[in-house]
């Protein structure tokens, strides 16, 4: 399932009930990052991304996906079900299916070319369709987001448990299908303004030369009205919808997740989301024009999908 996940842990499992044409999506607790993601919020967001991809694929192949989030209270690991109902003949396709396979995080410098305002509005509408809010902060708020992310990155590097957890997934995880190979990590910012994740590797210029990143980045804050498990799953679906649409429009993206991993820094970003009632920040997205990121490895289908026949 080609969905983004924290450190490419791919923390999901699918089971297809062929009698009811229902796919059950469970969290894979053994693949969670207990230091970086102790409450499992990132797992829910990642599974939400995978659910959106499943919905897109179902629609592409002529099914009408019917989604339920947290359908069974006594089974907390069961995060969602998607029933493949008969589609209405001639129903329009989302046109996002091809982007599922082309979407890759790009942790490389982007050009300084701004994104058109109509495209930003289209991305915001994609998030809205999934029950989330996407806002593009102005220059001052962008600097606040970068400052919070730099602080989070510094904390992550100083936290031994988190650094070891991250380093394990970039220097040889127990499975060749998990984690991030060196090719996808990208450089650090030579000006030390863009806080690209170091993944606990403490990379130095002699190992991976630093490069200058865009000086006026386009950042987006993805937020929800509440901060419950269902909101995390909705945020994941909104995130993937935004990323697929951006990919279709030739825009690259990477995720600045570091501040989401520290409750006080995440709360500091909540006030930047919008005027009015508080919104809960679920992701910081960096968008721009630039090189396409390399693909990350994926778990074999037989490790991810089971079928009840």
């Amino acid at each position: 399932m080609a969905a983004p996940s924290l450190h490419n842990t791919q923390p999901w499992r699918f089971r297809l009930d062929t009698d009811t044409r229902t796919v059950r999506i469970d969290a894979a607790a053994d693949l969670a990052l207990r230091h970086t993601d102790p409450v499992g919020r990132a797992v829910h967001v990642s599974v939400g991304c995978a659910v959106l991809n499943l919905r897109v694929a179902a629609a592409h192949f002529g099914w009408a996906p019917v989604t339920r989030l947290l359908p069974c209270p006594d089974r907390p690991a069961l995060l969602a079900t998607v029933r493949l109902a008969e589609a209405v003949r001639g129903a329009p396709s989302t046109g996002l299916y091809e982007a599922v396979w082309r979407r890759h995080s790009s942790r490389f410098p982007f050009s300084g070319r701004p994104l058109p305002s109509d495209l930003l509005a289209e991305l915001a509408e994609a998030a809205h369709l999934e029950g989330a809010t996407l806002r593009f902060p102005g220059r001052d708020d962008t600097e606040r987001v970068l400052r919070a992310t730099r602080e989070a990155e510094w904390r992550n590097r100083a936290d031994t448990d988190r650094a070891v957890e991250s380093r394990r997934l970039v220097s040889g995880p127990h499975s060749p299908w998990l984690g991030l190979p060196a090719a996808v990590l990208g450089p650090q910012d030579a000006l030390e303004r863009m806080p690209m994740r170091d993944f606990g590797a403490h990379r130095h210029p002699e190992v991976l030369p630093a490069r200058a990143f865009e000086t006026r980045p386009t950042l987006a804050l993805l937020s929800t009205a509440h901060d419950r498990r269902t909101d995390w799953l909705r945020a994941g679906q909104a995130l993937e919808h935004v990323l697929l649409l951006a990919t279709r429009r030739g825009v690259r993206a990477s995720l600045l997740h570091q501040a989401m991993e520290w409750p006080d820094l995440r709360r500091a970003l909540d006030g930047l989301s919008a005027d009015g009632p508080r919104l809960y920040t679920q992701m910081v997205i960096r968008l721009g024009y630039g090189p396409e990121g390399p693909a990350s490895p994926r778990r074999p289908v037989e490790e991810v999908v089971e079928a009840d026949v």
Side-chain angles (χ1 to χ4, degrees):
M1 181 61 66
S5 58
L6 187 60
H7 297 9
N8 194 36
T9 47
Q10 305 166 62
W12 46 66
R13 289 191 175 91
F14 297 80
R15 180 178 288 273
L16 171 63
D17 184 328
T18 55
D19 290 335
T20 63
R21 294 200 303 263
T22 299
V23 181
R24 302 197 300 268
I25 305 99
D26 285 90
D30 56 312
L31 298 177
L33 300 174
R34 65 186 185 92
H35 297 293
T36 305
D37 183 34
V39 300
R41 190 194 66 87
V43 168
H44 285 67
V45 171
S46 299
V47 169
C49 291
V51 168
L52 190 282
N53 280 355
L54 179 58
R55 289 169 46 204
V56 167
H60 176 78
F61 288 104
W63 300 100
V66 179
T67 305
R68 294 180 62 199
L69 304 180
L70 304 180
C72 190
D74 60 349
R75 289 186 56 189
L78 178 58
L79 300 190
T81 60
V82 178
R83 181 170 60 85
L84 306 179
E86 296 287 350
V88 176
R89 185 180 297 274
S93 170
T94 62
L96 296 177
Y97 179 73
E98 290 76 14
V100 170
W101 311 107
R102 292 171 36 226
R103 183 216 60 80
H104 307 300
S105 294
S106 180
R107 301 179 180 89
F108 297 90
F110 296 157
S111 75
R113 180 158 64 106
L115 274 63
S117 58
D118 58 342
L119 174 57
L120 299 181
E122 193 176 3
L123 296 176
E125 176 61 19
H128 177 72
L129 289 173
E130 305 298 339
T133 298
L134 191 72
R135 176 177 176 264
F136 302 93
R139 185 177 300 182
D140 290 344
D141 281 351
T142 292
E143 184 52 45
R144 293 185 180 97
V145 174
L146 292 175
R147 188 160 55 242
T149 307
R150 283 193 293 268
E151 169 65 18
E153 179 65 14
W154 181 87
R155 293 185 192 181
N156 285 343
R157 296 184 189 187
D159 187 302
T160 301
D161 290 332
R162 296 188 186 209
V164 169
E165 193 171 59
S166 296
R167 194 178 299 121
R168 176 174 56 85
L169 286 160
V170 299
S171 61
H174 63 278
S175 167
W177 311 111
L178 297 173
L180 297 164
V184 310
L185 299 183
Q188 295 290 295
D189 184 3
L191 302 178
E192 298 186 348
R193 183 169 183 269
M194 183 66 66
M196 303 305 292
R197 192 188 285 274
D198 184 74
F199 293 98
H202 305 302
R203 292 170 289 154
H204 298 287
E206 61 268 21
V207 177
L208 182 66
R211 294 172 57 187
F213 278 65
E214 61 271 22
T215 57
R216 293 187 178 180
T218 297
L219 301 184
L221 297 179
L222 181 72
S223 307
T224 53
H226 303 283
D227 199 31
R228 304 161 300 194
R229 295 174 66 207
T230 50
D231 299 293
W232 301 343
L233 290 165
R234 290 191 185 97
Q237 292 177 86
L239 172 62
E240 185 69 346
H241 198 155
V242 168
L243 295 177
L244 294 183
L245 182 57
T247 299
R248 190 181 179 196
R249 298 289 186 260
V251 173
R252 311 305 180 200
S254 62
L255 306 180
L256 300 179
H257 190 267
Q258 299 98 309
M260 303 297 97
E261 298 156 19
W262 297 92
D264 61 317
L265 297 177
R266 184 173 168 232
R267 283 195 301 270
L269 299 186
D270 290 346
L272 304 181
S273 297
D275 297 329
R278 176 184 178 180
L279 295 176
Y280 295 84
T281 308
Q282 304 293 349
M283 188 63 70
V284 179
I285 311 170
R286 170 178 164 254
L287 298 160
Y289 297 103
E292 182 175 336
S296 298
R298 294 293 162 184
R299 294 162 62 200
V301 172
E302 58 270 18
E303 282 192 14
V304 180
V305 181
E306 298 180 14
D308 294 333
V309 294

